[in-house]
Amino acid sequence: MMETGGVVTYYRAMNQPLNPTPDAVPPEPTTAADRSGALEEQIRHLMVAAEHELSLAPEGLDELGLIRALQRPPWELLGEVRFDSPEALYPVHFLLFHALYRLRDELARDGRLMHISPLRITLKASTVIAGEGVPDRADALRAFYLDLSHYRLPDDAIHRMMDDFWAGRQRPAQPAPEALTEAAGELGFDAVPAHFETVRHRFRRAVMQAHPDRGGTTEQVQRLNHAFSILKTHYLANA
């Protein structure tokens, strides 16, 4: 199992109580069954924590906001996330969305509706009882995220997925106008540029300047990545 810097893997949160004491640190898992059990425990912790945090946010949370909530006490289920590295970010994103889709199925049986996307994750009461997901594209996404074999992918497969995304094989919903305006402002634009390449160039330069090795902060890099993801979705939705 790889250490990603983002998912607190088997060697920490997957094997320890949420609030361990010095005498309560179990040994590292050594067998496939132990590792599978540790992963399932981590997923269950994520489901409990995500339900709690979303219940406290009537307007929902974006993926970045939920990740930050799960990094903070009392959860501390996720370690430092490298938003500038697709290979490091992917396992964090996948495991979180795996937990969310499982949680959505469980809550649907009780008449609670969860909407899942990187831009907005919401939890509301619903009069519709349906534990098998929703039709069409969302069902395909559910099937992908519920298949744990996708949790560990080689780097080239992750980059191919990103290339497929940009080729338009998946077309997300258009972000809200206020989200676009805020994202453009985060990258220093007065308005949303007409061309994606303009945004890409500005983003790369801004991330280099904000990198902690150059005097910036992780918080700055996270904000830039979040803004860039919103703008990417805008251009893809209008391609």
Side-chain angles (χ1 to χ4, degrees):
M1 176 61 191
M2 62 178 150
E3 288 283 353
T4 66
V7 178
V8 181
T9 54
Y10 305 124
Y11 309 115
R12 256 170 56 194
M14 288 184 185
N15 285 309
Q16 297 181 18
L18 287 178
N19 296 293
T21 63
D23 297 326
V25 179
E28 296 178 3
T30 57
T31 68
D34 288 342
R35 290 192 293 271
S36 178
L39 180 59
E40 175 62 21
E41 182 181 359
Q42 172 75 351
I43 291 168
R44 298 303 306 184
H45 288 331
L46 286 170
M47 291 170 66
V48 170
E51 180 182 0
H52 177 83
E53 293 298 330
L54 290 170
S55 296
L56 297 177
E59 299 303 316
L61 296 168
D62 57 26
E63 182 179 9
L64 176 58
L66 184 55
I67 286 175
R68 287 173 174 166
L70 298 179
Q71 288 174 318
R72 295 191 294 264
W75 312 115
E76 298 182 319
L77 293 173
L78 301 176
E80 181 181 354
V81 178
R82 291 186 54 196
F83 289 91
D84 60 337
S85 170
E87 303 85 21
L89 179 59
Y90 172 78
V92 183
H93 165 80
F94 179 87
L95 200 64
L96 176 59
F97 272 56
H98 173 87
L100 288 172
Y101 274 98
R102 283 180 54 175
L103 178 62
R104 188 185 76 166
D105 284 359
E106 288 191 5
L107 295 178
R109 301 184 188 105
D110 297 326
R112 302 173 72 190
L113 177 65
M114 178 181 289
H115 170 75
I116 302 172
S117 84
L119 295 177
R120 187 61 51 184
I121 304 161
T122 58
L123 179 59
K124 300 181 182 297
S126 172
T127 58
V128 178
I129 306 297
E132 297 300 324
V134 294
D136 303 326
R137 187 181 67 189
D139 238 14
L141 290 174
R142 173 181 177 273
F144 175 83
Y145 284 111
L146 289 183
D147 184 350
L148 278 173
S149 68
H150 295 138
Y151 177 39
R152 293 179 288 273
L153 293 179
D155 292 352
D156 60 339
I158 295 173
H159 284 282
R160 280 199 304 273
M161 288 173 59
M162 295 179 65
D163 291 342
D164 287 349
F165 181 83
W166 284 111
R169 296 186 178 99
Q170 291 185 352
R171 187 178 298 272
Q174 173 70 26
E178 58 271 19
L180 278 175
T181 301
E182 183 177 347
E186 185 67 44
L187 290 176
F189 296 110
D190 294 329
V192 177
H195 303 289
F196 172 65
E197 284 305 316
T198 304
V199 172
R200 188 200 296 270
H201 178 75
R202 177 71 62 85
F203 169 72
R204 288 177 174 173
R205 186 174 61 184
V207 166
M208 289 179 62
Q209 293 173 344
H211 196 281
D213 291 344
R214 299 193 175 189
T217 66
T218 301
E219 179 76 14
Q220 288 176 297
V221 175
Q222 290 176 345
R223 290 201 309 268
L224 290 169
N225 274 282
H226 181 56
F228 185 56
S229 70
I230 292 175
L231 291 168
K232 283 195 301 185
T233 303
H234 163 70
Y235 291 106
L236 184 60
N238 288 279

